[in-house]
Amino acid sequence: MAPSSQPDVVVVGAGLAGLVATYELTRAGRKVLVLDQENRNNLGGQAFWSLGGLFFVDSPEQRRVGVKDSFELAWQDWQGSAGFDRDDEDHWARQWARAYVEFAATEKRQYLHDLGLRVTPLVGWAERGGGAADGHGNSVPRFHLTWGTGPEVVRVFLEPVLAAERRGLVEFAFRHRVDELIVEDGAVAGVRGGVLEPTDLERGHASSRTMVGEFEIRAPATIVTSGGIGHNHDLIRKNWPADRLGPCPETMISGVPAHVDGRMLGITEAAGGRIVNRDRMWHYTEGIHNWDPIWPDHAIRIIPGPSSLWFDANGKRLAAPCFPGFDTNATMREILSTGYDYSWFVLNQSIIAKEFALSGSEQNPDITGKDLKFTLRSRVAKGAPGPVEAFKQHGVDFVVADSLPELIAGMNKIARGPQLDVAAIERQIVARDREVTNKFSKDAQLMAITNARRSLGEKLRVVPPHRILDPAHGPLIGVRLNILTRKTLGGLQTDLDSRVIRADGEPFPGLYAAGEVAGFGGGGVHGYNALEGTFLGGCIFSGRAAGRAAARTPR
């Protein structure tokens, strides 16, 4: 294959970061060739499947619901969460982190607003952390949900890119898999690879890797935006930080499509690019099997409110800070310390109806479709939203019962480890239920629930404290929670212009990287922990930087 005209820049990967970089390049009048191993149906990559959460600081939405935020508070939270402790590998990541928080506190919202993106009025409180003011977690709600979810985040960049395609500034080469970066005189001069057989498969479906040809393309600049390793379980196992998180789970289910394979990381490293922080990754402990899957091992994450009781595989209730929605990595470590790779939620109908949200644009058709009437009916009406109720009825990880003995019997049928003891579980639930008699409590989870309900956005989502075993709130529900693979936090090290750094610490001429393949900036902008709503934003911020910097490359 040869492009119809000589491109100024080759972009490898048509996900969100690639589209943002391409958008910025076309604004500068550059000709761009976008390569992707999937077909046109997959434009936008895994961002399309996301819930569309965005991290803003001191936004109008926050101020409107009484949340006081600031750059200083957000930067304190980011540093406490990232825990940067590697002078060399975190050198650029620290600078990217501060620049990103500044972006989130200043021009990010307006940049997206000018493109037509809008957010819902209520701000969610995600990843609340471990309880220390200067430690991990968001001190205040910062999770802004896009009106239109992930497809809308993709749309606002895709539409101007497609318009540029019609003008002849952008050319797409789908089913083109890059296998090698061409390096000449110490600089990247283009790419080589294989042409895969055509396919008309729908978005997200695993596609053939049969080659039908080869290609070579040269350009003054190449931007790698190929994503992370989320579906490559072999690479996840190889890089798994057992010293920090415990043994790698035997059972993992995939929160991203099959094409998220991490191939370009190894290819770029072989050419001379530097990978840092390989052991930093972000997987979820609240994964459930999709009863209606799109890709192999397709998993959905429950985005929970704080009220469900969380038990390990042995039936021991998890202690602070391992509450739903608080500290992902601490909870991962606690679960895996048991020697098993799953855990349990125990809750009731009142909790699932208000507090269960499901990750994925397809699991939120009301907000994804920007249908206000449907959204009001779905979110305000009595009962759980339709997709949540469907999982409760059909999901293999769900057990529903009218009594605790019946519930535990059902949970034991799907356990991959110890059989739970009814008396032990009942004792722990009853002890917690006694604590709701007063407005105050020594139960840390109940205190967290009370605190959450002081925010308007959370008060509308979090149910008032009540007895889990109260029949008026039934039936009882047990959910087997699996480890769901998702994000790569390390990656190609880049400077603030998104130039890939070589092993000698110098920028690699002609080569840029953005998005997850670059650890969302600098080879690991999040450090060890993510504050949520920061992955799409990281793709946008680093893609914007890469596009603007590559646009300055001489033709």
Side-chain angles (χ1 to χ4, degrees):
M1 172 269 175
S4 58
S5 61
Q6 177 66 39
D8 297 313
V9 181
V10 170
V11 174
V12 182
L16 179 59
L19 292 177
V20 175
T22 302
Y23 165 71
E24 291 291 344
L25 286 161
T26 59
R27 291 181 71 196
R30 293 294 189 263
K31 290 185 177 181
V32 187
L33 176 66
V34 183
L35 306 174
D36 199 282
Q37 63 182 348
E38 300 305 317
N39 63 17
R40 185 177 283 266
N41 293 338
N42 287 275
L43 279 169
Q46 60 180 300
F48 180 91
W49 300 107
S50 75
L51 188 60
L54 293 167
F55 177 95
F56 294 132
V57 177
D58 191 27
S59 69
E61 290 76 22
Q62 287 176 299
R63 295 193 294 269
R64 205 170 290 132
V65 295
V67 173
K68 296 180 179 180
D69 201 3
S70 66
F71 165 78
E72 291 76 16
L73 183 60
W75 180 227
Q76 172 181 295
D77 288 347
W78 195 286
Q79 292 179 93
S81 299
F84 294 125
D85 58 2
R86 299 170 178 173
D87 291 341
D88 186 20
E89 293 189 67
D90 288 336
H91 172 74
W92 287 109
R94 285 188 177 93
Q95 297 176 62
W96 270 95
R98 185 177 179 92
Y100 178 69
V101 177
E102 288 176 344
F103 178 61
T106 54
E107 59 182 310
K108 177 182 177 183
R109 187 180 180 280
Q110 191 63 49
Y111 176 73
L112 293 170
H113 192 274
D114 290 345
L115 284 162
L117 186 139
R118 302 292 183 267
V119 296
T120 59
L122 297 178
V123 185
W125 197 355
E127 200 65 18
R128 304 170 201 207
D134 59 352
H136 169 53
N138 285 297
S139 295
V140 298
R142 295 190 177 107
F143 190 88
H144 297 68
L145 180 60
T146 298
W147 181 236
T149 69
E152 182 71 1
V153 179
V154 171
R155 181 194 70 80
V156 300
F157 292 101
L158 180 58
E159 286 188 352
V161 167
L162 294 179
E165 182 187 23
R166 292 190 291 272
R167 299 195 308 271
L169 278 179
V170 174
E171 186 173 353
F172 289 100
F174 297 106
R175 302 295 285 160
H176 281 59
R177 184 189 65 198
V178 172
D179 298 322
E180 180 186 357
L181 295 176
I182 301 171
V183 181
E184 295 176 346
D185 298 325
V188 172
V191 296
R192 295 190 185 98
V195 181
L196 306 179
E197 64 180 350
T199 175
D200 60 357
L201 284 171
E202 295 180 12
R203 179 188 293 273
H205 289 256
S207 62
S208 164
R209 290 295 177 260
T210 300
M211 278 181 53
V212 296
E214 298 179 342
F215 68 91
E216 178 177 308
I217 300 164
R218 293 172 181 267
T222 298
I223 306 176
V224 177
T225 61
S226 53
I229 66 173
H231 200 101
N232 189 333
H233 290 190
D234 290 339
L235 201 49
I236 290 171
R237 294 183 194 283
K238 180 180 178 181
N239 294 334
W240 186 267
D243 58 328
R244 287 190 291 107
L245 297 183
C248 185
E250 181 178 342
T251 299
M252 295 188 288
I253 49 180
S254 300
V256 293
H259 60 75
V260 186
D261 54 21
R263 289 183 71 256
M264 282 305 299
L265 282 163
I267 290 167
T268 307
E269 185 178 34
R274 186 186 187 207
I275 299 175
V276 294
N277 300 313
R278 299 173 197 264
D279 63 315
R280 293 180 184 169
M281 49 186 81
W282 192 249
H283 306 303
Y284 291 112
T285 53
E286 311 100 331
I288 52 176
H289 295 81
N290 195 342
W291 65 275
D292 186 18
I294 295 171
W295 55 77
D297 303 316
H298 186 186
I300 297 296
R301 182 203 175 198
I302 297 170
I303 303 176
S307 299
S308 297
L309 297 188
W310 206 334
F311 295 88
D312 67 21
N314 293 308
K316 178 183 177 183
R317 186 181 171 197
L318 300 186
C322 303
F323 303 142
F326 275 69
D327 192 326
T328 295
N329 278 338
T331 307
M332 177 78 76
R333 185 167 55 250
E334 189 69 17
I335 290 169
L336 296 179
S337 71
T338 66
Y340 302 99
D341 56 15
Y342 69 99
S343 59
W344 301 100
F345 273 171
V346 173
L347 60 151
N348 55 35
Q349 183 64 29
S350 293
I351 293 172
I352 199 172
K354 290 274 281 186
E355 295 194 11
F356 266 37
L358 300 173
S359 66
S361 54
E362 82 282 6
Q363 301 299 330
N364 297 272
D366 49 352
I367 299 174
T368 299
K370 297 191 287 187
D371 188 326
L372 183 57
K373 291 182 179 179
F374 182 21
T375 299
L376 290 174
R377 285 200 310 271
S378 175
R379 307 285 162 162
V380 179
K382 187 177 181 180
V388 174
E389 192 64 32
F391 266 88
K392 192 185 86 174
Q393 294 179 15
H394 305 296
V396 297
D397 298 298
F398 285 74
V399 178
V400 182
D402 290 324
S403 70
L404 188 61
E406 182 185 359
L407 182 77
I408 300 303
M411 292 165 66
N412 281 334
K413 288 181 181 179
I414 62 173
R416 293 196 298 268
Q419 294 290 285
L420 301 172
D421 180 74
V422 176
I425 298 292
E426 183 175 32
R427 177 184 58 76
Q428 294 173 86
I429 297 176
V430 169
R432 177 266 184 203
D433 281 358
R434 289 194 184 104
E435 295 286 314
V436 302
T437 305
N438 300 291
K439 292 182 180 180
F440 41 86
S441 170
K442 72 174 183 180
D443 187 282
Q445 186 172 0
L446 285 173
M447 288 190 283
I449 293 168
T450 301
N451 188 44
R453 285 176 50 81
R454 298 173 75 175
S455 161
L456 176 60
E458 292 295 284
K459 188 172 184 178
L460 293 174
R461 184 190 178 202
V462 178
V463 296
H466 62 276
R467 291 186 297 114
I468 298 289
L469 297 179
D470 184 348
H473 293 276
L476 294 169
I477 301 163
V479 187
R480 182 184 60 185
L481 303 174
N482 311 274
I483 306 304
L484 177 148
T485 63
R486 184 62 68 82
K487 297 296 181 187
T488 314
L489 297 189
L492 297 171
Q493 192 173 42
T494 56
D495 66 11
L496 289 176
D497 282 329
S498 289
R499 296 182 298 176
V500 173
I501 302 300
R502 298 183 309 208
D504 63 3
E506 295 298 317
F508 202 153
L511 184 62
Y512 303 80
E516 192 173 350
V517 75
F520 302 94
V525 68
H526 297 93
Y528 290 99
N529 294 282
L531 287 174
E532 295 295 353
T534 56
F535 298 125
L536 295 177
C539 288
I540 292 166
F541 187 54
S542 61
R544 187 179 83 147
R548 291 181 177 185
R552 298 193 291 268
T553 302
R555 284 188 170 93

